[in-house]
Amino acid sequence: MKKITSGLLLVFLIACQSVKINKENYDVSNSIVELGSIGSVKSSFTKNTFESNAFPVLENKIRLTVEIVPFSKKTAKSYFKKNKYNQNAAKLNYVDSLDVKPEMMVLKIADKLGYVTELNESYNEKIFNLLSNSSDFRVVSSVAVFPSNEELMKIKQSDAYYLVNNQDKKYTVALYNEGKKTGTLELKPERILGYQSGSFCWSSNAKGKWYVADMVNSGSSCQGKSFSKIKEDKREESLFKM
């Protein structure tokens, strides 16, 4: 009986740290998360945190997908619980009986190849070395955000979205419509309900030099001739050839 009770408690605590949005699980973090940042996930029975370690330089804009999703009773409950003691959190007016529900936006890194290509460039050498020494690092690949009415209107009036570095080296979302830039959007941490993370896959070229080849959802396996970490024997060989 004790084992059953402990098991149910574990399931409950894990469920409190995640929320299902459009049939996909999103982690609810107690810490600040930023789309495109690299760090490590720290989970316990009572909280989930994403500790950001690095923000890669993005010389090229990275294509995103954006989907508008209405709040449900469960997602609203998660938002209220997450921001129970956060005075800076935006107020969510959710009534389950109303036909028109408040909306959130789900942003995902669509151009995964473009993102990992940036990691292999010389201007991200320090981050590349950081990743090559540990397979524990993750990238925030998707976020669910509660936007303001103005932000929601900008999103709906755009047809293309990109993750970019602005002049302050911060990440923003560039908005485009019919090929023309129409504005930018800054994702405010206090409005982020949940996130998904991705891990990196490695491969080596003909000269034995390793590079970041792909990004996959956390928990997923690397495909083809790519691996979740650099194999030490091939790494030594590649260093010798360099």
Side-chain angles (χ1 to χ4, degrees):
M1 187 68 180
K2 287 183 178 180
K3 289 184 178 179
I4 295 176
T5 303
S6 298
L8 291 173
L9 178 61
L10 179 60
V11 171
F12 173 76
L13 289 170
I14 292 174
C16 289
Q17 297 174 22
S18 65
V19 60
K20 195 171 288 291
I21 301 173
N22 262 16
K23 299 180 180 180
E24 294 186 11
N25 286 326
Y26 277 72
D27 293 317
V28 179
S29 177
N30 296 91
S31 59
I32 294 175
V33 294
E34 292 189 50
L35 184 63
S37 64
I38 292 174
S40 54
V41 178
K42 305 292 183 182
S43 296
S44 67
F45 288 140
T46 57
K47 64 180 180 178
N48 174 291
T49 59
F50 184 90
E51 297 181 358
S52 297
N53 297 94
F55 297 85
V57 174
L58 304 178
E59 290 287 349
N60 301 286
K61 57 184 187 290
I62 307 300
R63 185 70 179 258
L64 304 173
T65 59
V66 178
E67 188 173 3
I68 305 300
V69 181
F71 271 90
S72 66
K73 187 175 182 178
K74 288 185 177 180
T75 53
K77 183 178 179 180
S78 293
Y79 183 83
F80 291 141
K81 185 174 182 179
K82 179 180 184 294
N83 294 296
K84 185 176 181 180
Y85 302 107
N86 184 2
Q87 296 180 349
N88 296 321
K91 185 178 180 180
L92 172 64
N93 295 311
Y94 179 87
V95 180
D96 192 47
S97 59
L98 294 179
D99 292 332
V100 180
K101 304 291 194 301
E103 295 175 312
M104 71 177 79
M105 56 185 183
V106 177
L107 300 94
K108 292 186 177 183
I109 295 178
D111 186 9
K112 296 181 180 180
L113 178 59
Y115 183 85
V116 298
T117 297
E118 294 288 296
L119 298 178
N120 292 302
E121 296 292 345
S122 58
Y123 43 78
N124 281 314
E125 182 180 2
K126 290 183 179 180
I127 295 177
F128 179 91
N129 291 334
L130 183 73
L131 297 176
S132 67
N133 288 321
S134 174
S135 59
D136 294 334
F137 289 104
R138 299 290 182 266
V139 54
V140 177
S141 56
S142 178
V143 290
V145 185
F146 174 38
S148 65
N149 291 333
E150 181 183 357
E151 291 170 334
L152 192 60
M153 182 178 65
K154 287 182 178 180
I155 286 291
K156 290 182 176 181
Q157 291 175 344
S158 305
D159 58 19
Y161 319 89
Y162 298 90
L163 186 67
V164 298
N165 275 151
N166 63 16
Q167 293 180 348
D168 298 325
K169 296 184 179 180
K170 294 180 180 179
Y171 291 165
T172 56
V173 178
L175 307 175
Y176 283 76
N177 188 31
E178 296 182 351
K180 295 182 180 180
K181 186 177 179 180
T182 57
T184 58
L185 194 67
E186 185 175 344
L187 301 179
K188 298 176 181 178
E190 64 270 16
R191 286 184 172 268
I192 294 178
L193 170 59
Y195 75 96
Q196 288 182 330
S197 63
S199 55
F200 299 105
C201 297
W202 296 82
S203 188
S204 58
N205 59 23
K207 294 183 178 181
K209 185 176 181 180
W210 287 89
Y211 61 94
V212 186
D214 198 5
M215 178 205 306
V216 296
N217 295 333
S218 293
S220 299
S221 301
C222 295
Q223 302 296 314
K225 295 182 179 180
S226 62
F227 308 91
S228 60
K229 60 182 179 180
I230 294 176
K231 293 187 176 182
E232 291 300 325
D233 55 337
K234 289 191 175 183
R235 188 180 182 186
E236 291 175 2
E237 181 182 348
S238 67
L239 289 173
F240 176 76
K241 289 181 179 181
M242 290 174 65

